[in-house]
């Protein structure tokens, strides 16, 4: 039976429907494959995995027929950002330098989803090597925002956001180094989670800035975000930075919380008036619901973005050293010897923003400048972490808008890297300090553009973060 009009409710319902034989997994996959083919006008999918997703559906249908118990994510149709490895499938970080490269293994986070019977439907466009805030830095073209295709969907996980917002898959995975899940979730009206650093294994995630990167889900609901998070979280022997702390399986019981916000945020001239109005309304609503809301100030607000860009470019320049035209992907045709192979492959293979970051990172790490930039950046990062911990000793959560303003026009900021870097003002703190943070829809502008509300919580306490996120 072909599904003609299917509308997704949540992941738990899909599993129940499969068990009740309302439809088969093959029906579901066929429905989404056709929908992507018909409706992806947003350039969200770089590749659809038709064969492997249909094969996975068939295997799942056989399990159902033979009465084998199903995984928690049975029938979940999930798209993955093009920086997550999936064995025998192409992966490219939306870069020409990885043209033709196939994954040799599967990322742990992706494998854990598959082990719970979810189906990976394809790979999603993103900014090249996850560097950007608008998804205009992809070698395969910009992604459009399904809410208004003249606008960006945010970045760098723009395809992950657009695909879920347009209903082309049920949920997706992205990565967040400085906001790349939360900002696009905010621009497209979704829930986006950046877990605590070390909570989800980074094995099989193409590295951008290893001490910042985390994998996380894009979903329509907080409940689905929590479900995907729980499946993916946990220690992994393949990632030495993955944490040993046990993952709490229970829901948090506390119902009343203390939320802190920064005075400077509300007074910031860069804040869109509707962002400010909705944020203030949220604060009032929290107070009315019996929560405590306290204002505080943060001495390092102006240091957040510069510190983030000094440290992440340093890490990126080192991580991206491995793309030399020999080990991976594309090699320049104009290669005569080893130096020209490296030089020409990197010159032709990397895009402008990636080159800018490699050069910045090489500069801040170079002898003579190391102490002034990289080493100072590390010290500032420590101050930011300590100040964040101090706030979270007085409050359960830190709240802010996810972004200063709603989605902007494609091309509007393309030639102004500094303006784009300032997009990250509210999101980078969580990555610098390592804390988990979630973006949930906060309302829309008068033009109907979504805005996000960010809640930053205590490290390794995602459970309480989800409890708060489902209240607001
Ligand atoms: N916009 C930020 C940057 O360009 C964040 C990117 C990310 O989180 N991957 O670095």
């Amino acid at each position: 039976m072909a599904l003609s009009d299917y509308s997704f409710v949540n992941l738990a319902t899909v599993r129940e429907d499969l068990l009740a034989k309302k439809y088969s997994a093959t029906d579901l996959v066929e429905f989404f494959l056709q929908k992507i083919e018909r409706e992806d006008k947003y350039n969200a999918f770089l590749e659809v995995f038709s064969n492997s997703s249909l094969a996975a559906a068939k295997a799942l249908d056989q399990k159902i027929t033979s009465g084998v118990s199903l995984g928690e994510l049975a029938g979940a149709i999930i798209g993955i950002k093009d920086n997550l490895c999936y064995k025998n499938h192409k992966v490219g970080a939306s870069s020409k330098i990885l043209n033709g490269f196939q994954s040799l293994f599967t990322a742990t986070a992706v494998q854990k989803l598959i082990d719970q019977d979810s189906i990976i439907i394809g790979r999603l466009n993103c900014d090249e090597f996850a560097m950007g805030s608008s998804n205009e830095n992809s070698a395969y073209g910009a992604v459009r925002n399904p809410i208004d295709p003249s606008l960006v969907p945010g970045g760098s996980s723009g395809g992950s956001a657009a695909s879920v917002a347009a209903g082309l898959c049920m949920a997706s995975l992205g990565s967040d180094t400085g906001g790349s899940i939360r900002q696009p979730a905010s621009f497209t009206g979704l829930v986006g989670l950046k877990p605590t650093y070390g909570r989800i294994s980074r094995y099989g995630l193409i590295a951008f800035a290893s001490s910042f990167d985390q994998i996380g889900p894009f979903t329509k609901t907080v409940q689905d975000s929590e479900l995907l998070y729980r499946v993916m979280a946990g220690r992994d022997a393949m990632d030495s930075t993955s944490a040993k702390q046990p993952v709490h399986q229970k829901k948090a019981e506390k119902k009343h919380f203390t939320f802190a916000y920064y005075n400077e945020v509300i007074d910031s001239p860069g804040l869109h008036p509707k962002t400010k109005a909705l944020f203030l309304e949220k604060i009032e609503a929290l107070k009315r619901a019996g929560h405590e809301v306290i204002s505080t100030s943060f001495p390092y607000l102006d240091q957040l973005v510069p510190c983030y860009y000094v440290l992440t470019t340093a890490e990126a320049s080192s991580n991206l050293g491995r793309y030399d035209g020999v080990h991976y992907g594309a090699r320049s045709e104009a290669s005569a010897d080893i130096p020209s192979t490296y030089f020409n492959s990197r010159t032709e293979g990397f895009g402008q923003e990636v080159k800018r970051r490699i050069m910045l990172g090489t500069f801040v790490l170079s002898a003579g400048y190391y102490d002034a930039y990289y080493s100072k950046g590390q010290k500032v990062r420590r101050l930011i972490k300590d100040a964040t911990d101090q706030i979270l000793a007085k409050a359960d959560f830190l709240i802010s808008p996810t972004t200063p303003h709603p989605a902007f026009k494609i091309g509007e900021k393309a030639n102004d890297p500094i303006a784009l870097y300032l997009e990250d003002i509210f999101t980078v703190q969580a990555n610098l300090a390592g804390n988990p943070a979630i973006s949930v829809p906060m309302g829309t502008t008068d033009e109907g553009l979504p805005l996000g509300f960010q809640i930053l919580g205590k490290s390794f306490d995602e459970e309480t973060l989800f409890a708060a996120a489902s209240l607001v």
Side-chain angles (χ1 to χ4, degrees):
M1 179 200 73
L3 277 176
S4 50
D5 62 342
Y6 167 78
S7 75
F8 170 66
V9 181
N10 58 37
L11 298 175
T13 307
V14 174
R15 186 178 184 278
E16 283 162 23
D17 288 351
L18 285 176
L19 281 169
K21 303 211 166 51
K22 285 198 184 160
Y23 42 76
S24 69
T26 306
D27 295 335
L28 267 184
V29 168
E30 281 173 350
F31 173 83
F32 279 97
L33 289 175
Q34 283 163 15
K35 190 162 162 114
I36 295 167
E37 174 151 348
R38 235 182 15 243
E39 294 174 23
D40 187 9
K41 316 226 160 51
Y42 314 107
N43 199 21
F45 278 88
L46 290 178
E47 186 182 355
V48 177
F49 301 146
S50 329
N51 292 342
S52 59
S53 59
L54 282 167
K58 208 167 152 200
L60 180 54
D61 285 332
Q62 264 157 15
K63 259 186 163 179
I64 297 168
T65 317
S66 52
V68 178
S69 69
L70 301 188
E72 274 193 282
L73 296 174
I77 309 292
I78 294 180
I80 56 175
K81 185 173 178 177
D82 190 34
N83 60 358
L84 286 160
C85 295
Y86 181 18
K87 192 172 174 178
N88 298 332
H89 294 78
K90 283 191 187 137
V91 63
S94 291
S95 178
K96 276 198 290 192
I97 208 153
L98 278 168
N99 203 3
F101 183 74
Q102 277 214 351
S103 297
L104 301 171
F105 55 84
T106 300
T108 301
V110 175
Q111 189 60 49
K112 284 184 161 188
L113 299 184
I114 295 171
D115 291 347
Q116 292 301 323
D117 290 329
S118 69
I119 295 166
I120 308 300
I121 193 95
R123 60 186 171 105
L124 298 161
N125 205 344
C126 58
D127 281 305
E128 186 177 1
F129 286 102
M131 298 174 187
S133 301
S134 63
N135 215 126
E136 295 168 288
N137 296 335
S138 164
Y140 302 101
V143 175
R144 297 178 175 277
N145 190 327
I147 290 162
D148 173 349
S150 70
L151 304 179
V152 304
S156 65
S157 316
S160 305
S163 59
V164 179
L168 305 179
C169 52
M170 297 174 185
S172 65
L173 294 190
S175 65
D176 190 311
T177 305
S180 279
I181 293 175
R182 291 159 287 152
Q183 185 249 21
S186 164
F187 280 9
T188 53
L190 298 173
V191 175
L193 171 77
K194 196 284 290 180
T196 311
Y197 182 76
R199 186 69 294 181
I200 292 178
S201 167
R202 290 182 296 111
Y203 179 67
L205 166 69
I206 294 179
F208 162 10
S210 311
S211 77
F212 293 74
D213 301 339
Q214 266 296 286
I215 297 168
F218 282 86
T219 55
K220 295 254 188 199
T221 62
V222 174
Q223 182 194 8
D224 281 352
S225 184
E226 182 162 14
L227 178 57
L228 292 174
Y229 158 80
R230 258 197 298 109
V231 168
M232 292 187 287
R235 168 80 185 155
D236 175 19
M238 301 306 284
D239 171 6
S240 61
T241 64
S242 74
K244 294 201 180 78
Q245 274 95 327
V247 182
H248 305 287
Q249 293 297 337
K250 283 211 316 251
K251 293 214 183 288
E253 267 153 29
K254 203 170 154 187
K255 291 272 184 287
H256 286 98
F257 302 108
T258 306
F259 294 88
Y261 68 92
Y262 299 151
N263 293 317
E264 296 92 330
V265 167
I266 291 186
D267 298 336
S268 156
L271 210 56
H272 186 281
K274 193 69 194 210
T275 309
K276 180 172 174 173
L278 286 171
F279 185 63
L280 291 174
E281 269 174 39
K282 254 310 181 240
I283 290 177
E284 288 313 311
L286 286 171
K287 286 184 185 160
R288 277 198 305 277
H291 303 285
E292 196 182 343
V293 184
I294 55 173
S295 70
T296 180
S297 78
F298 192 68
Y300 309 114
L301 211 56
D302 289 344
Q303 277 70 47
L304 289 171
V305 171
C307 180
Y308 169 83
Y309 277 93
V310 166
L311 296 179
T312 55
T313 54
E315 292 190 23
S317 72
S318 161
N319 272 327
L320 271 57
R322 62 174 67 107
Y323 305 104
D324 53 12
V326 178
H327 291 85
Y328 304 97
R331 178 177 308 171
S332 168
E333 306 262 319
S335 304
D337 49 20
I338 289 177
S340 68
T341 302
Y342 291 174
F343 187 87
N344 294 330
S345 300
R346 286 169 72 82
T347 302
E348 292 164 25
F350 288 133
Q352 199 188 18
E353 181 61 24
V354 174
K355 285 180 187 160
R356 182 182 291 127
R357 304 230 187 167
I358 292 173
M359 286 189 278
L360 265 172
T362 308
F363 174 76
V364 302
L365 287 172
S366 58
Y369 292 104
Y370 186 94
D371 285 338
Y373 293 102
Y374 183 70
S375 164
K376 184 162 286 161
Q378 293 283 38
K379 290 177 190 157
V380 175
R381 186 179 195 184
R382 166 55 65 179
L383 292 174
I384 290 168
K385 173 159 179 39
D386 290 348
T388 308
D389 285 347
Q390 271 168 25
I391 291 171
L392 293 175
K394 295 185 295 194
D396 298 300
F397 304 107
L398 178 65
I399 51 173
S400 68
T402 308
T403 59
H405 38 74
F408 45 88
K409 291 257 182 244
I410 293 178
E412 190 182 322
K413 302 189 186 193
N415 298 319
D416 189 351
I418 303 286
L420 265 185
Y421 293 177
L422 290 173
E423 276 297 296
D424 305 326
I425 178 83
F426 300 137
T427 48
V428 293
Q429 186 178 354
N431 307 76
L432 282 159
N435 296 61
I438 194 165
S439 178
V440 292
M442 170 164 84
T444 59
T445 63
D446 300 340
E447 297 78 37
L449 302 180
L451 290 162
F453 180 71
Q454 176 175 253
I455 315 174
L456 183 154
K458 293 180 183 156
S459 290
F460 299 107
D461 193 3
E462 276 81 355
E463 295 64 34
T464 315
L465 185 64
F466 285 122
S470 38
L471 286 177
V472 297

